[in-house]
Amino acid sequence: MLNFNQNENQRMIAQMIRDFGAKEITPFRKDWDDKQFFPLEVFKKLGELGLMGVLIPTEYGGSGFGYTEYVTAIVELSKLDPSVGLSMAAHNSLCSGHIMAFGSEEQKKKYLPKLATCEWLGAWGLTEPNTGSDAGNMRTVAKKEGDHWIINGAKNFITHGVSGDVAVLIARTGEIGDSHGMTAFIVERGTPGFEGGRKEDKLGMRASETAEMIFTDCKIHESQVLGEVGDGFIQSMKVLDGGRISIAALGQGIAEGALEASIEYSKERQQFNKPISSFQGISFKLADMATQVEASSLLIFKAADLKNRGEKVTLAGAQAKYFSSEVAVSVSNDAVQIFGGYGFTKDYPVEKFYRDSKLCTIGEGTSEIQKMVIAREILK
């Protein structure tokens, strides 16, 4: 049965992040957002705290925690700055998570210790300019030449596409549309033919780097293949099952942050000589927001519990991701409304939560894709 109380590790992580964030994140988040600055040094410090290797076993230099603690960390970081929560999640769930799940022992020993401490920042490349949800039609191609692979193509909307030190790349090694025609590779920054491309100018999540990765006759040794040749797409779908829980947690952090800001503001803001929280129009809106946030949390921690127990999380992860991302948009929208004109200014945090929230309904599978996954699972 689910235990609805936070365990000691969760409480410790939450307090550690609040203390860290008060000094290292909150004072700078507006400036990072305005300038679209990626605060790499913050992630190095998060690595020192063990937060860039939350799920990595201690034998590889990680913290060795489970998904319950991982979700808590993302939620708390995202309440401070969703951009930081996003980058931390992408590094952990996608790049590190893929290597941890499918890497050889040699690959794990080589890469996981550096990723766990953020000595190396991770990236993960599946999406392409013409293949978002339609990953089976990817155009990035890897061809075998002796004991090497030659990669040509480009990926876009990649978190840490420029700054990442190592990337897990999915490239086509078979026929277009063949789910067994794609392979995962580990590519290190500095490999000839691998470079970062254009950095996206985004609506929200502006302090999390999103950019292209470009491959031009990029030559890598066959030892850099992750798992078996042809298994890259299948691996990616399993990685995304877990990754969706992290995006759900990202949305949860946004919603909780917006709700907490709204409650505090509604108690302080006076109209007609009374705090606006005393008016039913506001108090009922807060009630709806709080209920949505609580329901979202339950879905997320159910999925995290299943993941911890090694059970299939395709349905639970999709439900959590779909619901929490839509809740993040709804709650942050209501927060702006509660703040009124001030909610439309950058003097208060809710406009940023509002802008940041929309990505949760798009990244790692749109809300429409989540509905497809959910429908497919329940109709089996």
Side-chain angles (χ1 to χ4, degrees):
M1 294 181 64
L2 280 174
N3 183 346
F4 294 99
N5 297 317
Q6 282 194 334
N7 62 41
E8 185 60 36
N9 289 332
Q10 288 177 278
R11 289 192 290 270
M12 177 270 292
I13 289 170
Q15 189 58 56
M16 179 176 68
I17 290 173
R18 285 192 287 267
D19 293 342
F20 176 83
K23 296 178 181 178
E24 304 287 348
I25 297 176
T26 306
F28 311 105
R29 64 186 175 191
K30 183 180 182 301
D31 190 52
W32 295 342
D33 183 73
D34 289 344
K35 297 177 180 177
Q36 240 182 160
F37 175 76
F38 177 58
L40 180 58
E41 287 306 310
V42 167
F43 295 98
K44 299 292 185 182
K45 293 176 181 177
L46 289 175
E48 294 173 3
L49 295 176
L51 294 173
M52 298 301 276
V54 179
L55 299 169
I56 295 175
T58 55
E59 63 188 285
Y60 301 113
S63 298
F65 290 129
Y67 257 73
T68 303
E69 290 84 3
Y70 179 44
V71 163
T72 299
I74 297 173
V75 169
E76 292 298 329
L77 282 172
S78 302
K79 286 164 68 174
L80 299 168
D81 187 341
S83 294
V84 176
L86 172 62
S87 275
M88 178 269 203
H91 173 93
N92 277 282
S93 289
L94 301 181
C95 182
S96 300
H98 200 141
I99 295 172
M100 190 165 62
F102 299 103
S104 65
E105 188 61 26
E106 182 180 354
Q107 289 169 336
K108 291 178 183 179
K109 287 180 177 178
K110 180 177 180 181
Y111 293 107
L112 292 182
K114 292 182 178 180
L115 289 165
T117 61
C118 203
E119 177 184 345
W120 280 11
L121 184 69
W124 191 77
L126 178 66
T127 302
E128 297 184 2
N130 294 314
T131 58
S133 300
D134 185 18
N137 273 312
M138 67 173 57
R139 296 298 190 267
T140 298
V141 175
K143 293 185 177 181
K144 190 78 184 294
E145 290 189 5
D147 58 358
H148 286 78
W149 289 86
I150 309 299
I151 303 173
N152 283 283
K155 301 290 181 178
N156 75 331
F157 298 139
I158 306 304
T159 305
H160 313 144
V162 172
S163 298
D165 298 289
V166 61
V168 172
L169 166 74
I170 317 302
R172 184 162 56 82
T173 52
E175 297 300 317
I176 291 177
D178 180 6
S179 62
H180 292 280
M182 288 162 273
T183 301
F185 301 88
I186 304 174
V187 189
E188 296 179 19
R189 185 70 61 185
T191 303
F194 172 33
E195 61 183 348
R198 184 175 69 93
K199 182 177 176 179
E200 301 294 342
D201 186 5
K202 299 177 296 181
L203 168 72
M205 301 288 190
R206 290 170 59 84
S208 177
E209 179 186 277
T210 305
E212 296 173 315
M213 294 194 303
I214 300 170
F215 302 87
T216 307
D217 293 329
C218 180
K219 185 177 181 180
I220 60 173
H221 192 263
E222 61 185 4
S223 62
Q224 298 302 99
V225 172
L226 261 172
E228 299 297 324
V229 172
D231 283 353
F233 181 77
I234 307 302
Q235 293 173 11
S236 297
M237 294 303 101
K238 292 178 180 178
V239 169
L240 286 172
D241 277 349
R244 285 167 181 157
I245 299 174
S246 69
I247 299 301
L250 174 63
Q252 181 70 13
I254 292 172
E256 288 188 16
L259 174 61
E260 289 176 9
S262 298
I263 291 172
E264 182 179 356
Y265 181 80
S266 72
K267 291 177 178 179
E268 296 173 351
R269 174 67 168 167
Q270 296 275 328
Q271 291 287 274
F272 307 101
N273 299 315
K274 290 190 288 188
I276 62 172
S277 60
S278 66
F279 297 110
Q280 196 174 83
I282 299 298
S283 65
F284 276 20
K285 193 180 290 291
L286 290 168
D288 284 339
M289 294 160 70
T291 303
Q292 291 178 67
V293 167
E294 187 68 17
S296 172
S297 179
L298 293 174
L299 280 173
I300 294 167
F301 279 103
K302 175 188 175 182
D305 181 64
L306 289 172
K307 185 72 174 174
N308 280 343
R309 291 191 272 118
E311 298 188 23
K312 185 178 179 182
V313 295
T314 302
L315 175 59
Q319 288 176 325
K321 198 271 186 188
Y322 165 56
F323 188 77
S324 73
S325 61
E326 295 294 339
V327 164
V329 174
S330 173
V331 169
S332 58
N333 177 57
D334 284 343
V336 171
Q337 195 71 17
I338 288 170
F339 274 73
Y342 292 112
F344 205 66
T345 72
K346 292 196 174 188
D347 294 330
Y348 292 87
V350 290
E351 67 83 30
K352 184 176 184 302
F353 284 131
Y354 186 44
R355 288 185 290 109
D356 289 345
S357 68
K358 190 57 190 170
L359 180 68
C360 297
T361 69
I362 299 170
E364 294 195 33
T366 63
S367 290
E368 290 74 19
I369 289 294
Q370 303 313 310
K371 290 181 185 181
M372 289 174 59
V373 172
I374 294 164
R376 184 181 66 225
E377 291 296 312
I378 64 175
L379 291 171
K380 280 183 177 178

